[in-house]
Amino acid sequence: MFPLLPGFQFYPTLATIPCWVPSPPREEPLSAHTSRFRPAPPPSPSSARARPLFPPFSRSALLAPFLPSAFRLHIAPFSTIPGPPTRGPLWVAPTSARLSPLPSPFPASPPPPAAPPLPAPRLAILLLEPRAPPGPSSLASRSLAPSSPFPARPSLPAASRAPCPRPDLQWRPPSAAPRGQRATTEPPAAVAAAASTACALPALRREHFRGRARERARMWGRGGERRAPRVASPSAGIRCVAYNNQSNRLAVSRTDGTVEIYNLSANYFQEKFFPGHESRATEALCWANGQRLFSAGLNGEIIEYDLQALNIKYAMDAFGGPIWSMAASPSGSQLLVGCEDGSVKLFQITPDKIQFERNFDRQKSRILSLSWHPAGTHIAAGSIDYISVFDVKSGSAIHKMLVDRQYMGVSKRKCIVWGVAFLSDGTVISADSAGKVQFWDSATGTLVKNHLIADADVQSIAVSDQEDSFVVGTAEGTVFHFQLVSVTSNSSEKQWVRTKPFQHHTHDVRAVAHSPIALISGGTDTHLVIRPLMEKVEVKNYDAALRKITFPHRRLVSCAKKKQLLLFQFAHHLELWRLGSTVATGKNGDTLPLSKNADHLLHLKTKGPENIICSCISPCGSWIAYSTASRFFLYRLNYEHDNINLQRVSKMPAFLRSALQILFSEDSAKLFVASNQGSLHVIRLLEGSFKHLHTFQPQSGTVESMCLLAVSPDGNWLAASGTSAGVHVYNVKQLKLHCTVPAYNFPVTALAIAPNTNNLVIAHSDQQVFEYSIPDKQYTQWSRTIQKQGFHHLWLQRDTPITHISFHPKRPMHILLHDAYMFCIIDKSLPLPNDKTLLYNPLPPTNESDIIRRRTAHAFKISKKYKPLLFMDLLDERTLVAVERPLDDIIAQLPPPIKKKKFGT
């Protein structure tokens, strides 16, 4: 019996499951530049009381941070069929229902000679399309060819709109209906199967999105690619970035308030994150005094983050209204903020907090951008229609430079200075909404040079530390690189020249940064793009390759294997799904009817404005736990036929106020909680209650937060990894520290304990994989061998970290792991590949001997057929579940970008 969701057509051995999530509301459309600064109104009480089937996000949340919304769940067989040589997996082309060969990602052990043949495994395939009112639609007679997810939209003139307006989304809540029946106000989505099997799911109604979306599902065959319905909420866009040259770390703030920290020296790994908050709309981010990180936003508060405990250290009101800009002094001892009321406020950075020092001369309009002179004597402030130069000692404005309102020959009503940069020679560089980059002489207050580079706003600017180059981002999605070059080959005179344009974004580039060897940009399309400067990279290796980071480097899905349940984590709610099944059998290419549809069992919404940090469901499916920044929640689930009873465990102790990671034991009898104070709590679960057993305190009095947990299948060992590279192993029975894995220079991205052997497998951000024997307190012989020989160079060149490791219960020599774009099975019994060996198998096998040869060639069996993977794990010996998040779905859910005419059209 194989788990499936409603509306699936069956092909042998794999299933794909959709999960529907509403698109969050977006900001109001902007009719003028001034409306860009008007905060979105709070949701009305009437809309808060409405309880649709899929409740929308609050307006202030805007976008959920990298949370999967159109999930693809693929269920694949894992065991091989003994007897005759196994046939290769099958592939269904997107425009056909026929099957053709495709290479298998699953290795096969030699079959025993006397074993009887097993029945053929089964596969389910979904065809799903939401109906547009008033009548239903069916995919039974439609082609499965890919199509555009949205109807054509009229393009908007670039000069008549602010960059990338976000149309509002209005939701019509369904009327009350008995459990198991659909609400009458929402037409269901018709799901048609080729074998006259049909079922329906509620369709989400989306209005005011420039036409309704008509979605289409495409599924491909056995063990291969599938496509699920494109009904998705986009990931949170990037609002601002800040680069720290001392630690080589990058701080990224997203539109929902989430702050992420990337270690550029550790293969660009996302080593820390701070969850978002509905009331925080971050507009500025900066590093000060070495390792101290500050942010400010439209709530008018300045926030400092605790990088050890991974929480907010304190928040201080600046008393100037919404804060639009912030900059730290070159010495790192002072902090400057620009406010809505036109004031520029100076704060002194003390060891514990920040202290207000004084106000500068108030300006007539809001301060949108700030920049210090490298000497710390003057500052430049960009506003609407002008740039002010202040003397830091006196706090008075010494120059006011009016910017040109001319845009493509037409005078605009306002010109917004989105970014300024103050150079050591006194030059001020400005980027404005007229598409210009201008150079000003701060001593005389005059314009020196003007560059018209775009037909839309230039929204961000960043200068290198050597001041020999800078980068700007535009609302057209283009990034321009300027360099200071000599006028002639023998001349000492230099001038600024626009050298390189890059088009790596589809929408507005809201933030840019300039590291010594790379240009960094981010914007509405959620991508963090890191493009190395080839002339400054000494060795032309994989470090010089372009990188796009879209998904979080942490897990957002958990699985209850015994109950066939999946728990999905979103910003402000959790969703629980129970997989369906079938009892039908058939041969390759048959369509099998569903005997039991999947159920959306639970939609658990959090209370309060805080985002969810972590969540987990027990293997037995009877417990759900999740945590926000200030509260920990534990629920007991009881199943009665088709109903579910949810009971919250009350009176949680004070030490469980917040958690960074949650994990249940395999028997669901214990709960392990990693707090932000560096301690690990062990809790015994009782019937509807709990008992605190022990707390492991952090080593040597440190406050290092534990971000990753792994428990052995027998429940005797617990491994925990912190924000540094250390891994500690605890004895759960004796409640004491067992050992500490030798330190490694790169942070841990995933870890798991193998059954039977109790070997701890650890993956690091530099793509190295280690196997450590917990009973012997040393690395295994296989780990020493692979470290001595070294990994394949293509394996080390991967730019996404391993996020999950698991094991097959009947195959102790197999290690299963995956990152966002690769699923791999490592067979420790086979030889390791060298650099001359073909690591990947890009072409399908031509015959059965080719299949066997590839399976026995070397230890690494890699499949790159899937879309970006958020989760993959074994349900049982023959069933594999995968959750995908297509990049195309993210782009399809974004507002339309600014259109440019090409070739005179």
Side-chain angles (χ1 to χ4, degrees), residues 539-557:
V539 180
K540 302 301 186 292
N541 56 6
Y542 71 96
D543 289 329
L546 176 72
R547 292 174 183 263
K548 276 189 177 183
I549 301 175
T550 307
F551 301 100
H553 296 163
R554 61 184 186 276
R555 294 179 59 184
L556 301 172
V557 183

Short mmCIF file of all heavy atoms in Angstrom, two decimals, residues 539-557:
data_model
loop_
_atom_site.label_atom_id
_atom_site.label_comp_id
_atom_site.label_asym_id
_atom_site.label_seq_id
_atom_site.Cartn_x
_atom_site.Cartn_y
_atom_site.Cartn_z
N VAL A 539 42.66 32.02 -8.33
CA VAL A 539 42.55 30.69 -8.94
C VAL A 539 41.17 30.57 -9.57
O VAL A 539 40.15 30.78 -8.91
CB VAL A 539 42.76 29.58 -7.88
CG1 VAL A 539 42.65 28.20 -8.53
CG2 VAL A 539 44.11 29.76 -7.20
N LYS A 540 41.13 30.25 -10.86
CA LYS A 540 39.85 30.15 -11.58
C LYS A 540 39.23 28.77 -11.31
O LYS A 540 39.27 27.87 -12.14
CB LYS A 540 40.09 30.37 -13.08
CG LYS A 540 40.72 31.71 -13.40
CD LYS A 540 39.85 32.87 -12.92
CE LYS A 540 40.38 34.21 -13.37
NZ LYS A 540 41.66 34.57 -12.72
N ASN A 541 38.69 28.60 -10.12
CA ASN A 541 38.05 27.33 -9.78
C ASN A 541 36.58 27.59 -9.49
O ASN A 541 36.01 28.58 -9.94
CB ASN A 541 38.75 26.69 -8.58
CG ASN A 541 38.78 27.62 -7.37
OD1 ASN A 541 38.19 28.69 -7.37
ND2 ASN A 541 39.48 27.20 -6.34
N TYR A 542 35.96 26.70 -8.72
CA TYR A 542 34.52 26.83 -8.49
C TYR A 542 34.18 28.07 -7.68
O TYR A 542 33.04 28.49 -7.65
CB TYR A 542 33.99 25.58 -7.80
CG TYR A 542 34.39 25.42 -6.37
CD1 TYR A 542 33.55 25.83 -5.34
CD2 TYR A 542 35.61 24.84 -6.02
CE1 TYR A 542 33.92 25.68 -4.02
CE2 TYR A 542 35.97 24.68 -4.71
CZ TYR A 542 35.13 25.10 -3.71
OH TYR A 542 35.50 24.95 -2.40
N ASP A 543 35.17 28.68 -6.98
CA ASP A 543 34.89 29.92 -6.26
C ASP A 543 34.53 31.05 -7.21
O ASP A 543 33.93 32.04 -6.81
CB ASP A 543 36.10 30.33 -5.42
CG ASP A 543 36.28 29.40 -4.22
OD1 ASP A 543 35.25 28.91 -3.73
OD2 ASP A 543 37.43 29.18 -3.79
N ALA A 544 34.93 30.93 -8.47
CA ALA A 544 34.65 31.97 -9.45
C ALA A 544 33.31 31.79 -10.14
O ALA A 544 32.96 32.55 -11.02
CB ALA A 544 35.76 32.00 -10.50
N ALA A 545 32.56 30.78 -9.76
CA ALA A 545 31.28 30.51 -10.41
C ALA A 545 30.18 31.36 -9.79
O ALA A 545 30.22 31.71 -8.61
CB ALA A 545 30.93 29.02 -10.29
N LEU A 546 29.20 31.67 -10.59
CA LEU A 546 28.06 32.44 -10.11
C LEU A 546 27.23 31.60 -9.16
O LEU A 546 26.98 30.41 -9.40
CB LEU A 546 27.20 32.88 -11.30
CG LEU A 546 25.91 33.61 -10.96
CD1 LEU A 546 26.21 35.01 -10.46
CD2 LEU A 546 25.00 33.68 -12.18
N ARG A 547 26.76 32.21 -8.08
CA ARG A 547 25.96 31.50 -7.09
C ARG A 547 24.63 32.21 -6.91
O ARG A 547 24.59 33.44 -6.83
CB ARG A 547 26.68 31.42 -5.74
CG ARG A 547 27.91 30.53 -5.76
CD ARG A 547 28.65 30.62 -4.44
NE ARG A 547 29.86 29.81 -4.48
CZ ARG A 547 29.93 28.58 -4.01
NH1 ARG A 547 28.88 28.03 -3.47
NH2 ARG A 547 31.06 27.90 -4.07
N LYS A 548 23.57 31.41 -6.84
CA LYS A 548 22.24 31.91 -6.53
C LYS A 548 21.71 31.14 -5.33
O LYS A 548 21.55 29.92 -5.40
CB LYS A 548 21.28 31.74 -7.73
CG LYS A 548 21.37 32.85 -8.75
CD LYS A 548 20.24 32.73 -9.76
CE LYS A 548 20.27 33.89 -10.74
NZ LYS A 548 19.12 33.83 -11.70
N ILE A 549 21.43 31.85 -4.26
CA ILE A 549 20.92 31.23 -3.05
C ILE A 549 19.46 31.66 -2.90
O ILE A 549 19.16 32.85 -2.82
CB ILE A 549 21.74 31.66 -1.82
CG1 ILE A 549 23.21 31.27 -2.01
CG2 ILE A 549 21.17 31.03 -0.56
CD1 ILE A 549 24.12 31.77 -0.92
N THR A 550 18.57 30.69 -2.89
CA THR A 550 17.13 30.97 -2.84
C THR A 550 16.46 30.36 -1.62
O THR A 550 15.58 30.99 -1.03
CB THR A 550 16.45 30.46 -4.11
OG1 THR A 550 17.12 30.98 -5.26
CG2 THR A 550 14.98 30.86 -4.15
N PHE A 551 16.88 29.16 -1.22
CA PHE A 551 16.17 28.44 -0.18
C PHE A 551 16.96 28.45 1.12
O PHE A 551 18.19 28.52 1.12
CB PHE A 551 15.92 27.00 -0.62
CG PHE A 551 15.12 26.91 -1.89
CD1 PHE A 551 15.73 26.69 -3.10
CD2 PHE A 551 13.75 27.08 -1.86
CE1 PHE A 551 15.00 26.61 -4.27
CE2 PHE A 551 13.01 27.01 -3.02
CZ PHE A 551 13.63 26.78 -4.22
N PRO A 552 16.26 28.34 2.25
CA PRO A 552 16.96 28.31 3.54
C PRO A 552 17.75 27.02 3.68
O PRO A 552 17.37 25.97 3.16
CB PRO A 552 15.82 28.39 4.56
CG PRO A 552 14.64 27.84 3.84
CD PRO A 552 14.79 28.23 2.41
N HIS A 553 18.85 27.10 4.41
CA HIS A 553 19.69 25.94 4.63
C HIS A 553 19.27 25.21 5.91
O HIS A 553 20.10 24.88 6.76
CB HIS A 553 21.17 26.37 4.72
CG HIS A 553 21.68 26.96 3.46
ND1 HIS A 553 22.83 27.71 3.38
CD2 HIS A 553 21.18 26.94 2.19
CE1 HIS A 553 23.03 28.11 2.13
NE2 HIS A 553 22.04 27.64 1.40
N ARG A 554 17.97 24.98 6.04
CA ARG A 554 17.43 24.26 7.19
C ARG A 554 16.14 23.56 6.75
O ARG A 554 15.56 23.89 5.72
CB ARG A 554 17.16 25.20 8.36
CG ARG A 554 16.14 26.28 8.05
CD ARG A 554 15.98 27.25 9.21
NE ARG A 554 14.91 28.20 8.99
CZ ARG A 554 15.00 29.31 8.30
NH1 ARG A 554 16.14 29.64 7.75
NH2 ARG A 554 13.97 30.12 8.15
N ARG A 555 15.68 22.60 7.57
CA ARG A 555 14.53 21.80 7.21
C ARG A 555 13.24 22.47 7.67
O ARG A 555 13.15 22.99 8.78
CB ARG A 555 14.65 20.41 7.82
CG ARG A 555 15.79 19.59 7.27
CD ARG A 555 15.87 18.23 7.95
NE ARG A 555 14.64 17.48 7.75
CZ ARG A 555 14.41 16.29 8.30
NH1 ARG A 555 15.32 15.75 9.07
NH2 ARG A 555 13.28 15.66 8.08
N LEU A 556 12.21 22.42 6.81
CA LEU A 556 10.90 22.98 7.11
C LEU A 556 9.81 21.93 7.07
O LEU A 556 8.63 22.26 7.17
CB LEU A 556 10.57 24.11 6.13
CG LEU A 556 11.57 25.27 6.09
CD1 LEU A 556 11.24 26.21 4.96
CD2 LEU A 556 11.60 26.00 7.39
N VAL A 557 10.17 20.66 6.90
CA VAL A 557 9.21 19.56 6.79
C VAL A 557 9.65 18.45 7.73
O VAL A 557 10.85 18.15 7.81
CB VAL A 557 9.12 19.02 5.35
CG1 VAL A 557 8.06 17.94 5.24
CG2 VAL A 557 8.84 20.15 4.37
#
